[in-house]
Amino acid sequence: MRFTTVDYIIFVLLLVLSSAIGLYYALSGGKQRTMQEFLLANRSMSFLPISLSLLATFQSAVAILGVPSEIYRFGTEYWFLGCSYIIGLLIPAHIFIPVFYRLRLTSTYEYLELRFSKAVRICGTVTFIFQMVIYMGVVLYAPALAFNAVTGFSLWGAVLSMGLVCTLYTTLGGLKAVIWTDVIQTLVMFAGQLAVIIVGTIKVGGFDQVWNIATENNKIAGVNWNPDPFERHSFWSLAIGGIFMMLSLYGVNQAQVQRYLSSRTEKEAILSCYAVFPCQQLVLALGCLTGLVMFAYYKINPSAYPQDISVPDQMVLYFVMDILKDLPGLPGLFVACLFSGALSTISSAFNSLATVTMQDLIKPHFPSLTESQATWLSKGLALGYGLLCLGMAYISSLMGSVLQAALSIFGMVGGPLLGLFCLGFFFPFTNSIGAMSGLAAGLVMAFWIGIGSFVTRMPSVPPPPLLNATSVPDFGNLTTTVMSTLLTSPTAKKSVSGLQKFYSLSYMWYSAHNSTTVVIVGLIVSLLTGPTKGRDIDPRTVYLVLPKLLFFLPERYREKLRYGVPHIVEDEHSPPHDLVTEKSCNGFLNGNAKYSEKEEMEEKLSGFTRSDTGHSYVVQETSL
């Protein structure tokens, strides 16, 4: 199967349009001359483009290939993942976003220094960079490799065109260009998937026929209430385990939080979280419907089933090229859809990596950098990460099946990072020693499970080396959503026990298990090494759950549940948009110095940071 001229034109148009958006924002407005504009779009974005950008970052190219394959092989049980979306977005909207936004952060990991210490901040940042650098080359290489195998399109031509265009518009246009290209790419993704579903349904004979064939072949799954955590998919693993997955993605992931922080107001940031919910449900439905249509088509046309598929994810592209081959332009539209998923994910990686490197690793050590120097350095970092991505794509091409093991491990880093932030938000007595110990334990657990699971599932006969990487899910984006394509097969279950049983833990519980490990170890170590006193905590860095849940208790009991953390009281009479403190908490300020990164951090700690919420606050210490 080969592309027609019309297909090439549509594909090239996507790349040209993405580059044009980057050039437009490089030459208009403030021309990306400040870090605020380059990294945070001048905090001027409205909720709708942000929500579509959040969705585009969520919807990677590998997910577009992986979800239909999952439905084709195992049925619609995966669809119940949608149950986790609402709670997985409500918690970030009403807990994480308000705290991050009011602290006026640029990097998510600044929070870790405000709450714990600089060492914890650096540990979190390095962990995130390690994770993202590993995955961004794969998310560029894997879809290009699958596409090359099915269509004969130049492998490195696709890799270089995507990588260079993405680097261009991210470096020139900053976050604003990334968000608006995400909007265009999201629309292209919707159009491509809809085209496949509509044409495929017509070829099968209508949606009723698709549904009947799926029902007759037991592809329409009921609710599996089995609470066994070793059950691959159940209502509990998808609904509850999925919540932890969503929190690691939408609650504390730098790529997503950076979009919230680019909102013009806190309300817009929260609205973006609400707006992305129906879009996510639509994306999940489109992926699942594509899988059902594909199953029905091959059931009716068994002779059309491709015999030379190395891995399941190739099946989607074979199916698309088969049903759209007589419709010039539509194969190109789906390829544009596929590569839109890759572009949106990679551009988010470049921008977020440049942000955390600048804010967490460079600025603290070079406080004398001028605004212009810092902005140019941020652009240089985005360019450098773009070139590094191309290098990682080349390395991915050499690693073969070893790459699957690497990605299954590094993809689970989201769980430990979520646990680290939960320690800070919900447990005011935890200290920096506990936080670092918990993170280390969580990462060890993630590596242990990842290596053990991969080794125990390795086939006795090595699989063909061709195209192994195409089944690797985009963990930096979906955490472990499509990990099932990699780690499972439809073979009969074997009776296992001991560590073998432990390694067969459902992939949907990985994020929950690893984040819980961080919290438990962090709590124990904090108690053993001397818990932090409530009066030493900036109240804006914690979310006190118990006083809110037990609101019906008498005031004096709820005060005890605050653990001595000072109150934040809204002050309607103070000058608007400022955060002021009535009494500085112990240990917050260590003297005045020339304004620098240090003083900026001290202001955040003391509560003097400006806010766009339209309210002012006063910190009051509580005497029990």
Side-chain angles (χ1 to χ4, degrees):
M1 303 175 198
R2 292 293 182 269
F3 258 27
T4 65
T5 303
V6 179
D7 295 321
Y8 278 110
I9 290 173
I10 291 176
F11 178 61
V12 170
L13 276 176
L14 171 70
L15 300 179
V16 170
L17 184 58
S18 298
S19 301
I21 291 174
L23 287 170
Y24 173 78
Y25 284 110
L27 301 173
S28 65
K31 300 183 180 179
Q32 310 300 317
R33 289 174 178 161
T34 66
M35 284 186 61
Q36 183 90 332
E37 184 175 13
F38 184 73
L39 298 178
L40 291 175
N42 261 346
R43 299 189 191 266
S44 62
M45 302 302 296
S46 61
F47 77 92
L48 188 56
I50 290 177
S51 62
L52 292 176
S53 181
L54 290 168
L55 180 70
T57 307
F58 177 93
Q59 181 73 343
S60 71
V62 183
I64 294 172
L65 297 176
V67 173
S69 174
E70 161 72 21
I71 300 300
Y72 180 94
R73 299 167 68 206
F74 301 110
T76 60
E77 194 167 31
Y78 182 81
W79 210 330
F80 287 108
L81 180 66
C83 297
S84 68
Y85 287 175
I86 183 63
I87 298 178
L89 287 170
L90 280 175
I91 293 176
H94 294 283
I95 296 179
F96 291 113
I97 293 177
V99 170
F100 290 144
Y101 198 91
R102 291 169 192 175
L103 288 172
R104 307 294 285 168
L105 306 178
T106 300
S107 162
T108 315
Y109 303 99
E110 289 179 76
Y111 167 85
L112 296 176
E113 181 174 352
L114 297 174
R115 176 62 181 85
F116 294 114
S117 67
K118 186 180 288 288
V120 178
R121 175 183 180 179
I122 292 174
C123 286
T125 300
V126 170
T127 302
F128 173 76
I129 291 174
F130 187 53
Q131 176 194 28
M132 296 292 276
V133 166
I134 291 297
Y135 106 86
M136 67 182 183
V138 183
V139 76
L140 175 63
Y141 177 73
L145 185 57
F147 181 56
N148 165 262
V150 176
T151 67
F153 190 89
S154 170
L155 169 63
W156 290 105
V159 169
L160 288 173
S161 60
M162 279 197 301
L164 293 176
V165 166
C166 194
T167 302
L168 174 69
Y169 74 73
T170 304
T171 303
L172 293 179
L175 183 62
K176 192 171 286 188
V178 171
I179 289 176
W180 282 110
T181 50
D182 282 352
V183 171
I184 301 299
Q185 289 156 7
T186 301
L187 298 177
V188 172
M189 282 190 276
F190 281 147
Q193 288 180 296
L194 279 172
V196 171
I197 292 170
I198 291 170
V199 174
T201 301
I202 292 172
K203 286 185 178 289
V204 170
F207 186 73
D208 288 344
Q209 181 76 345
V210 171
W211 193 262
N212 289 336
I213 291 174
T215 303
E216 291 168 4
N217 289 273
N218 299 317
K219 291 297 179 182
I220 307 300
V223 181
N224 180 0
W225 297 103
N226 188 349
D228 184 1
F230 303 102
E231 185 81 9
R232 180 174 173 272
H233 281 165
S234 68
F235 174 81
W236 308 109
S237 66
L238 290 166
I240 298 177
I243 290 173
F244 284 85
M245 182 198 73
M246 291 294 293
L247 291 178
S248 67
L249 178 67
Y250 281 94
V252 300
N253 184 281
Q254 170 67 26
Q256 310 293 56
V257 172
Q258 199 167 333
R259 283 155 175 73
Y260 302 141
L261 297 175
S262 70
S263 303
R264 61 169 68 109
T265 64
E266 181 183 321
K267 182 179 179 182
E268 295 269 4
I270 293 172
L271 279 175
S272 69
C273 217
Y274 275 94
V276 81
F277 171 71
C279 298
Q280 280 183 326
Q281 296 290 356
L282 177 60
V283 163
L284 181 62
L286 289 175
C288 293
L289 287 174
T290 302
L292 291 178
V293 171
M294 183 167 64
F295 180 83
Y297 178 80
Y298 285 128
K299 200 69 179 175
I300 291 176
N301 305 287
S303 60
Y305 185 84
Q307 301 299 318
D308 54 347
I309 291 179
S310 301
V311 291
D313 289 353
Q314 293 177 11
M315 186 183 299
V316 179
L317 274 172
Y318 274 107
F319 169 66
V320 169
M321 298 304 293
D322 189 13
I323 66 170
L324 301 182
K325 62 186 176 185
D326 299 324
L327 301 168
L330 289 186
L333 179 62
F334 184 79
V335 169
C337 156
L338 182 67
F339 282 27
S340 289
L343 286 171
S344 62
T345 305
I346 297 164
S347 62
S348 300
F350 294 168
N351 195 265
S352 59
L353 283 167
T355 301
V356 299
T357 304
M358 187 67 209
Q359 290 294 123
D360 299 329
L361 302 181
I362 295 178
K363 275 187 73 177
H365 297 95
F366 299 94
S368 59
L369 280 174
T370 65
E371 183 71 17
S372 176
Q373 289 172 332
T375 303
W376 278 106
L377 186 53
S378 297
K379 292 180 179 181
L381 287 169
L383 175 63
Y385 278 119
L387 298 178
L388 178 61
C389 177
L390 293 174
M392 291 303 297
Y394 177 72
I395 292 173
S396 299
S397 70
L398 303 177
M399 291 181 69
S401 60
V402 176
L403 184 65
Q404 296 182 1
L407 264 288
S408 66
I409 296 166
F410 301 132
M412 288 184 281
V413 169
L417 285 176
L418 171 63
L420 182 61
F421 280 92
C422 286
L423 270 180
F425 268 79
F426 306 123
F427 303 96
F429 57 86
T430 51
N431 58 32
S432 59
I433 299 175
M436 293 180 69
S437 301
L439 177 62
L443 289 172
V444 168
M445 186 64 71
F447 275 67
W448 183 18
I449 295 178
I451 294 173
S453 179
F454 179 78
V455 170
T456 56
R457 293 173 190 271
M458 284 182 67
S460 54
V461 179
L466 180 63
L467 300 176
N468 281 340
T470 60
S471 65
V472 179
D474 174 7
F475 290 118
N477 191 18
L478 289 178
T479 310
T480 51
T481 302
V482 285
M483 189 171 181
S484 51
T485 309
L486 168 64
L487 293 181
T488 60
S489 63
T491 54
K493 293 182 180 179
K494 297 179 181 179
S495 177
V496 293
S497 59
L499 281 180
Q500 293 268 347
K501 182 73 172 177
F502 181 63
Y503 295 145
S504 64
L505 179 72
S506 169
Y507 73 98
M508 286 303 303
W509 287 113
Y510 284 169
S511 186
H513 180 269
N514 295 333
S515 58
T516 302
T517 299
V518 174
V519 170
I520 292 174
V521 173
L523 290 175
I524 293 173
V525 173
S526 294
L527 291 173
L528 291 176
T529 57
T532 303
K533 292 180 171 60
R535 65 176 180 271
D536 295 331
I537 297 171
D538 183 344
R540 293 174 189 83
T541 63
V542 293
Y543 187 88
L544 301 171
V545 178
L546 289 179
K548 295 180 186 297
L549 288 179
L550 304 177
F551 62 90
F552 51 84
L553 291 178
E555 181 69 23
R556 67 178 186 277
Y557 292 118
R558 281 188 285 127
E559 286 298 336
K560 291 183 181 298
L561 293 174
R562 292 186 61 84
Y563 190 68
V565 175
H567 277 276
I568 303 177
V569 180
E570 192 168 338
D571 182 8
E572 300 292 352
H573 304 293
S574 299
H577 306 299
D578 286 326
L579 291 178
V580 298
T581 58
E582 180 180 274
K583 188 174 182 181
S584 177
C585 296
N586 294 346
F588 283 173
L589 294 176
N590 296 313
N592 298 320
K594 183 179 177 181
Y595 189 82
S596 62
E597 173 74 11
K598 176 185 176 184
E599 185 169 321
E600 181 182 347
M601 185 62 65
E602 288 175 341
E603 284 189 355
K604 289 172 180 175
L605 282 167
S606 61
F608 281 99
T609 309
R610 293 181 61 82
S611 170
D612 287 342
T613 60
H615 302 290
S616 303
Y617 299 92
V618 175
V619 177
Q620 294 179 336
E621 285 198 8
T622 304
S623 55
L624 298 179

